[in-house]
Amino acid sequence: MSRIIVLLLLASLGLSACAAPRSLTPQIGADGKPLPKIYRITPDDTREIQFRMLDAVNSLRQAAGVSPVTLDNKLTAAAATHARDMSVQNRPWHFGSDGSSPLDRVKRVGYEGNFVGETISETYETEMETLAAWMEDDITRRVILSPEARRMGFAWHQDPTNKIWWTMTLGG
């Protein structure tokens, strides 16, 4: 009898070890969907994220039959300025707190090519999830796949709440 109790105890311990740890169990929101995980970006992630986005954009552009784009430091500087400014304003829109337009910002950083367009986002999502959302919208999709685009700036600002303000600027 004691042998059966010991075996049952061992079996129950073994089964409990198979259960997912509490930290891996997704938390469910009021809408019944899993809550998003926090995507934290460190300064060391910058180049990796920029090149991952560049590769993804160029894959989409290749599939659409248009030329690839290259990363441009000046367009990235304009994008970074706007991402931080959107965070300060706490709203995603194309105008700076000083009234500047995307065209004004690319001129300020000394970009001499043609301005093609700007895509922006306020989210807790990764850059790939953000790109997917941009591709679902006709307007931002046209900017990303514009045949006139030859250069891309891509930057973000993550605020203390971990919200990410993404900006992509494209130029010819």
Side-chain angles (χ1 to χ4, degrees):
M1 180 71 153
S2 64
R3 181 181 255 179
I4 292 175
I5 292 173
V6 169
L7 287 174
L8 286 174
L9 262 172
L10 287 174
S12 67
L13 283 174
L15 288 175
S16 67
C18 294
R22 185 167 170 76
S23 63
L24 296 180
T25 305
Q27 294 181 348
I28 305 299
D31 60 358
K33 295 180 181 177
L35 293 173
K37 294 181 181 175
I38 294 175
Y39 183 54
R40 288 194 179 94
I41 302 172
T42 68
D44 292 340
D45 300 329
T46 299
R47 298 307 287 170
E48 181 181 336
I49 290 171
Q50 286 178 325
F51 283 107
R52 189 167 42 237
M53 179 61 87
L54 178 66
D55 289 345
V57 165
N58 280 333
S59 292
L60 293 166
R61 290 178 62 83
Q62 181 180 13
V66 294
S67 299
V69 293
T70 58
L71 272 178
D72 184 278
N73 290 335
K74 290 179 180 178
L75 290 176
T76 295
T81 297
H82 191 55
R84 181 173 297 279
D85 191 42
M86 285 190 300
S87 173
V88 168
Q89 296 181 71
N90 197 32
R91 64 178 170 181
W93 73 322
H94 293 283
F95 294 94
S97 56
D98 62 356
S100 62
S101 70
L103 183 56
D104 295 331
R105 288 188 294 277
V106 299
K107 285 181 179 179
R108 279 185 195 156
V109 296
Y111 183 73
E112 295 176 2
N114 294 328
F115 172 73
V116 172
E118 177 182 77
T119 60
I120 59 172
S121 181
E122 163 200 25
T123 184
Y124 291 93
E125 296 176 333
T126 68
E127 67 281 358
M128 293 296 103
E129 292 167 315
T130 301
L131 178 59
W134 284 338
M135 291 303 289
E136 290 177 9
D137 180 84
D138 289 338
I139 294 169
T140 52
R141 180 185 185 87
R142 276 195 301 265
V143 170
I144 293 166
L145 299 180
S146 172
E148 291 82 33
R150 295 287 181 266
R151 300 193 174 278
M152 178 183 92
F154 180 65
W156 58 90
H157 175 73
Q158 189 163 29
D159 68 25
T161 69
N162 290 309
K163 185 184 295 181
I164 306 168
W165 303 83
W166 300 104
T167 304
M168 180 189 294
T169 306
L170 292 155

